[in-house]
Amino acid sequence: MSTKIIHALYTDDDVLLQAVKQVRDKHYHIDEIFTPFPVHGLEKAMGIADTRLAINAFLYGIVGLCVATAMMNYIMIEDWPQNIGGKPSFSYLENLPAFVPIMFELTVFFAAHLMVITFYMRSRLWPFKKAENPDVRTTDDHFLMEIDTHGADVEEATKFLYDTGAVEIKLIDKEAH
């Protein structure tokens, strides 16, 4: 049994937002939504949980702080102690005020760079990856809602989507998709 995927195209973000709420109320499964720009409130309307990227940013910052601390202790205290400006090199804590800017910069550096890598990995955006955009108009002025019918009545779902404000609907076999 081949299941169908419905691509419903909308031309207005407010209409799309209302349509997402209506589709979820009818218990149809929304696979993906393609938009030319971020639509405020769309993730809540789709029922997507809040992101945990902020927790990762904090942990990456802690890693950067630890690397900065270990690096400065090894370089400036243990391996090559120098008398710079009359400051003693006897312990890390005596020189801590001079190390604060370096600790801050490496904390930000690690958090920023590791967050970019995490975002690309989470979004599956690899180098040279082919675009997965089903309709090129979604990069300009259209919004596409991809709905998996799961064996539901396709004609009823199509009529319902036209009633929500869809301007165009395409039926696609899941195997061909």
Side-chain angles (χ1 to χ4, degrees):
M1 178 179 140
S2 72
T3 59
K4 302 277 187 184
I5 292 178
I6 300 174
H7 286 176
L9 281 161
Y10 296 86
T11 56
D12 186 19
D13 57 333
D14 292 327
V15 174
L16 171 75
L17 201 55
Q18 291 302 319
V20 167
K21 293 174 185 175
Q22 293 172 2
V23 167
R24 285 202 36 148
D25 287 343
K26 276 283 223 180
H27 302 291
Y28 289 120
H29 177 68
I30 301 172
D31 278 343
E32 189 70 62
I33 295 182
F34 298 90
T35 64
F37 54 84
V39 177
H40 180 69
L42 186 59
E43 67 280 354
K44 286 200 189 303
M46 288 180 65
I48 296 175
D50 288 338
T51 180
R52 295 181 301 264
L53 287 176
I55 297 168
N56 287 346
F58 177 75
L59 294 175
Y60 295 153
I62 295 294
V63 169
L65 183 65
C66 292
V67 167
T69 302
M71 178 188 75
M72 289 181 299
N73 184 53
Y74 177 74
I75 292 171
M76 298 300 290
I77 305 301
E78 294 175 16
D79 186 44
W80 196 267
Q82 298 178 39
N83 187 353
I84 300 172
K87 294 180 188 158
S89 304
F90 302 128
S91 74
Y92 183 82
L93 290 177
E94 288 176 331
N95 292 310
L96 188 62
F99 295 155
V100 169
I102 300 167
M103 292 187 312
F104 172 76
E105 290 298 329
L106 281 179
T107 299
V108 172
F109 179 85
F110 270 69
H113 286 79
L114 292 175
M115 281 300 297
V116 169
I117 293 168
T118 300
F119 173 75
Y120 283 147
M121 289 174 55
R122 176 69 180 92
S123 301
R124 295 181 184 97
L125 294 173
W126 315 116
F128 310 109
K129 181 182 179 188
K130 260 180 105 173
E132 296 177 1
N133 195 353
D135 194 325
V136 295
R137 294 177 288 179
T138 60
T139 62
D140 186 25
D141 61 350
H142 282 67
F143 304 86
L144 186 137
M145 185 187 322
E146 190 175 89
I147 300 167
D148 194 350
T149 57
H150 288 300
D153 186 12
V154 175
E155 291 178 18
E156 178 185 326
T158 303
K159 182 181 179 325
F160 170 72
L161 288 169
Y162 274 122
D163 292 341
T164 63
V167 294
E168 182 181 327
I169 293 179
K170 294 180 186 175
L171 244 56
I172 298 168
D173 281 329
K174 196 169 192 172
E175 287 80 27
H177 184 65

